[in-house]
Amino acid sequence: QICTMASLTVYANEPVTRGKVVLHTSLGPLDVELWAKEAPLACRNFVQLGLEGYYDGCIFHRVIKDFMAQTGDPTGTGSGGDSAFGGDFKDEVHGRLRFSHRGLLGMASSGPNTNRSQFFLTLDRCEWLDGKHTIFGKVTGNSIYNLNRINELEVGPGDRPVYPPRILRMEILLEPFDDIVPRAAAPPPRAEAEANRRVKKKEK
């Protein structure tokens, strides 16, 4: 019961969400609520790209059991993807948002203020990422069980799933911004000759 109360306290301390989308994946839907007030750049980027179908077909190219699942790269390599802004955008760290439970959405980056299209979903708590990656949303309701299915995937070299699931499409249920419309053409995938945008494992 003490653990349950502690878990409830963690959720109660989080800000109210603004915005809802469904990530339809090959392993079932993920209901996502967004912190559009606390992370407006990350949420605007996420919704804009999703609205334009940029994430459609993106695989979960990196899965580490009980840590995180990474996606959002149209090239499927872990080194590609661009933002809705046409380049890097800055980190957004909020004191009431911490990597304290599974189901959080965070921006994947290659260093401070290098966010683009890639993001990850936490499969457990990972507090060592606090202050290093933007948290912009969370998986809610019974769809959290579909996240468990991702956690159980068989993986090979480079933490790449043997049979990677993919995002089929994004469905926007509650638009957190009133001025986002699809652009004439979504930005093309960028395969960059830079270091992979990797979320660091906990240092032992």
Side-chain angles (χ1 to χ4, degrees):
Q1 188 173 359
I2 294 177
C3 291
T4 302
M5 289 301 295
S7 298
L8 290 175
T9 301
V10 166
Y11 286 97
N13 286 339
E14 293 176 346
V16 175
T17 55
R18 298 185 179 186
K20 295 182 180 181
V21 307
V22 180
L23 280 178
H24 293 277
T25 80
S26 54
L27 290 180
L30 297 173
D31 299 328
V32 174
E33 295 184 6
L34 301 172
W35 280 298
K37 180 180 179 182
E38 291 71 22
L41 292 178
C43 288
R44 181 175 288 276
N45 180 69
F46 182 68
V47 171
Q48 181 79 62
L49 294 180
L51 189 65
E52 294 171 346
Y54 190 81
Y55 290 128
D56 296 1
C58 285
I59 64 170
F60 286 84
H61 61 268
R62 187 172 179 235
V63 175
I64 302 176
K65 186 176 175 62
D66 298 331
F67 175 28
M68 64 96 215
Q70 189 169 335
T71 184
D73 174 9
T75 71
T77 64
S79 331
D82 206 349
S83 75
F85 311 115
D88 295 345
F89 62 93
K90 68 179 182 180
D91 299 330
E92 298 167 298
V93 177
H94 191 276
R96 290 174 62 192
L97 294 177
R98 299 180 180 278
F99 287 101
S100 55
H101 59 86
R102 65 178 175 170
L104 294 168
L105 276 72
M107 291 302 302
S109 61
S110 55
N113 304 311
T114 57
N115 304 292
R116 289 194 177 172
S117 67
Q118 292 190 45
F119 63 95
F120 62 93
L121 300 96
T122 60
L123 302 174
D124 204 341
R125 60 192 305 169
C126 40
E127 294 93 337
W128 66 91
L129 297 182
D130 287 344
K132 299 177 181 177
H133 294 270
T134 298
I135 300 173
F136 66 94
K138 62 180 176 179
V139 177
T140 62
N142 290 334
S143 71
I144 197 78
Y145 295 112
N146 290 329
L147 200 59
N148 291 346
R149 297 178 67 187
I150 296 176
N151 193 37
E152 298 301 324
L153 290 172
E154 178 185 357
V155 298
D159 306 312
R160 190 178 182 88
V162 176
Y163 302 104
R166 64 182 62 242
I167 296 172
L168 303 178
R169 63 186 177 91
M170 182 192 292
E171 178 184 3
I172 299 174
L173 301 181
L174 180 60
E175 164 65 81
F177 308 101
D178 58 8
D179 60 345
I180 293 183
V181 294
R183 294 167 293 180
R190 270 168 59 160
E192 301 153 351
E194 62 175 89
N196 285 355
R197 295 171 180 272
R198 300 176 71 83
V199 183
K200 292 185 178 180
K201 302 179 184 178
K202 185 177 182 181
E203 294 181 0
K204 297 182 179 179

